[in-house]
Amino acid sequence: MTHEVPALPYAADALAPHIDARTMEIHHGKHHAAYVSGANATLEKLEEERNQEDFGAINQLEKNLAFHVSGHVLHSLFWKNLGPRGGGEPEGERSLAIGEFFG
């Protein structure tokens, strides 16, 4: 299994002026891509170690994999939670809970 950086669901400049296109390009194309690259490299290394029956590094490699995959998953959610037509006020139960706990 290899991981891939998902395409942005909007143009890189769609969140301006709050987040400019260059910031989005760096965060998506470099920062998120680094998590994906790290996950894929770690998966390859895990397979090599297991095939060679060299299990000494497996524990650390699994920790590295968890780090990179979690960064990838969280960033994938991040892009979906942002949007050029976002904002507004919460409604329903969410609004009531915010009012109750935060005033």
Side-chain angles (χ1 to χ4, degrees):
M1 165 191 235
T2 56
H3 296 276
E4 296 180 6
V5 177
L8 282 175
Y10 38 79
D13 64 351
L15 304 178
H18 307 289
I19 303 175
D20 64 85
R22 182 74 178 129
T23 299
M24 289 295 287
E25 290 163 358
I26 291 170
H27 199 137
H28 182 261
K30 296 190 184 300
H31 184 66
H32 187 165
Y35 282 116
V36 170
S37 177
N40 290 332
T42 303
L43 284 169
E44 289 178 21
K45 187 69 175 164
L46 272 166
E47 183 177 3
E48 290 172 16
E49 297 294 315
R50 288 176 175 140
N51 288 339
Q52 296 172 8
E53 296 187 11
D54 183 6
F55 303 112
I58 299 266
N59 187 40
Q60 185 59 50
L61 288 169
E62 287 178 342
K63 289 177 183 178
N64 292 349
L65 183 62
F67 171 79
H68 290 298
V69 171
S70 65
H72 168 45
V73 168
L74 292 172
H75 277 81
S76 295
L77 291 170
F78 180 73
W79 308 126
K80 291 178 182 178
N81 286 320
L82 295 177
R85 290 174 287 287
E89 296 294 325
E91 299 174 358
E93 289 184 36
R94 182 170 291 137
S95 178
L96 294 172
I98 290 171
E100 179 181 343
F101 291 104
F102 300 105

